[in-house]
Amino acid sequence: MVISISYAWPELKQCKLDHTCKSLGYNSTQYVERANTGFQKLGVMGSSVIAADGDYGASNQDDACKFTAMFPASSPYVTSVGATRFITDQKGKIVNEIAISFGRPINWSTGGGFSSFQKAPSYQATAVKNWYELAKENGTLPPSNQFSTRFRGYPDVSFNGINYRIFISNVHSDKCPCSATYGDGTSASTPAFAGLVTLLNDALLNNSKKQLGFLNPLLYKMAALDPSTFRDIIEGNNGLGCKNRYMAQKGNEC
């Protein structure tokens, strides 16, 4: 019912990753469109598909710092997840939550931005409009030639992406003995958020109700009707060392 995806690849370079494109006669755009058909089928079946938005900022390691959308996070038919981290005081009490931004001690950045060709879904039209107007007012809009609000904006939500305790097999298999360590990334925040959705589904099903299915229309409706449902992340950016970047602000969690 809940599918968590912890990989991301530039949407216009999908066929450099999947070598079956050539045998199928697909280019990367067609690959994305075909995958989106599959995601829609999963949604109709009641599944929630949740995808990481990547750990390389808005440019995703492009040498010229050009914004590069990542797929499947950029799909309008999945729920895209970014990453945040908690700020604590000297006593260890959490005092803030910010978007994960590149800089000591962090050597990565949450992703996010806009697709280069996938049309903006209606469920996020108001949210994107509000983001654009506020960013314009604040003077934090990226260069206009780097993005277009006509296309799908992502991520949809963000979740803590730091200091997850993980266990790694000492014998290079799926068996223990294992060693404990810690992991970061949207590859951590995404399955954690997926686990939360799974618990919600469990509660619904135990009360003879339907599972959540495709989340996005519900998430954006909740945010519009009761903004206190979510915590706005208003600090941080996803520049990863590049000048061009998206700034966290009300309605945009990077």
Side-chain angles (χ1 to χ4, degrees):
M1 295 177 184
V2 180
I3 301 169
S4 177
I5 302 173
S6 283
Y7 72 84
W9 195 256
E11 62 182 8
L12 293 179
K13 295 182 179 179
Q14 290 296 302
C15 286
K16 288 189 176 182
L17 178 68
D18 191 333
H19 300 295
T20 61
C21 285
K22 185 175 181 180
S23 62
L24 295 172
Y26 283 3
N27 59 33
S28 291
T29 300
Q30 291 170 316
Y31 180 99
V32 167
E33 291 172 345
R34 179 62 185 85
N36 280 340
T37 299
F39 291 143
Q40 291 177 77
K41 291 178 180 179
L42 289 169
V44 170
M45 293 168 62
S47 295
S48 303
V49 183
I50 302 172
D53 76 357
D55 298 346
Y56 299 107
S59 62
N60 292 291
Q61 293 187 310
D62 181 87
D63 291 339
C65 287
K66 180 181 179 181
F67 287 174
T68 304
M70 301 295 271
F71 187 82
S74 63
S75 169
Y77 307 106
V78 309
T79 299
S80 176
V81 181
T84 62
R85 68 184 181 101
F86 296 117
I87 303 298
T88 58
D89 62 18
Q90 293 181 343
K91 295 182 179 180
K93 180 182 178 181
I94 295 173
V95 295
N96 199 4
E97 184 178 6
I98 67 174
I100 291 182
S101 310
F102 179 76
R104 294 181 181 179
I106 307 298
N107 63 358
W108 60 281
S109 173
T110 186
F114 289 85
S115 171
S116 56
F117 69 92
Q118 298 178 83
K119 291 182 179 180
S122 59
Y123 59 73
Q124 67 172 191
T126 299
V128 170
K129 180 177 181 291
N130 291 342
W131 163 79
Y132 183 89
E133 291 177 349
L134 182 57
K136 185 177 181 180
E137 179 182 329
N138 292 339
T140 57
L141 276 175
S144 60
N145 63 348
Q146 292 277 342
F147 75 100
S148 173
T149 57
R150 294 185 296 111
F151 301 128
R152 152 75 158 149
Y154 72 101
D156 302 295
V157 295
S158 289
F159 210 73
N160 174 57
I162 291 284
N163 287 340
Y164 284 89
R165 196 177 190 196
I166 60 176
F167 296 86
I168 300 176
S169 172
N170 295 334
V171 290
H172 304 290
S173 74
D174 59 351
K175 307 295 183 182
C176 282
C178 300
S179 298
T181 184
Y182 290 88
D184 303 338
T186 54
S187 292
S189 63
T190 300
F193 179 77
L196 176 61
V197 175
T198 300
L199 292 175
L200 292 172
N201 277 342
D202 185 58
L204 289 169
L205 292 170
N206 284 334
N207 285 278
S208 301
K209 297 180 180 180
K210 293 182 179 180
Q211 66 267 30
L212 293 170
F214 179 44
L215 296 171
N216 293 7
L218 174 62
L219 293 176
Y220 284 90
K221 184 177 181 179
M222 290 168 61
L225 294 178
D226 185 3
S228 66
T229 305
F230 300 93
R231 176 185 297 165
D232 262 315
I233 306 301
I234 58 174
E235 292 184 42
N237 65 77
N238 63 357
L240 196 67
C242 293
K243 182 179 179 180
N244 294 336
R245 57 194 178 179
Y246 294 97
M247 302 295 296
Q249 65 173 42
K250 184 176 177 62
N252 178 49
E253 276 61 70
C254 281

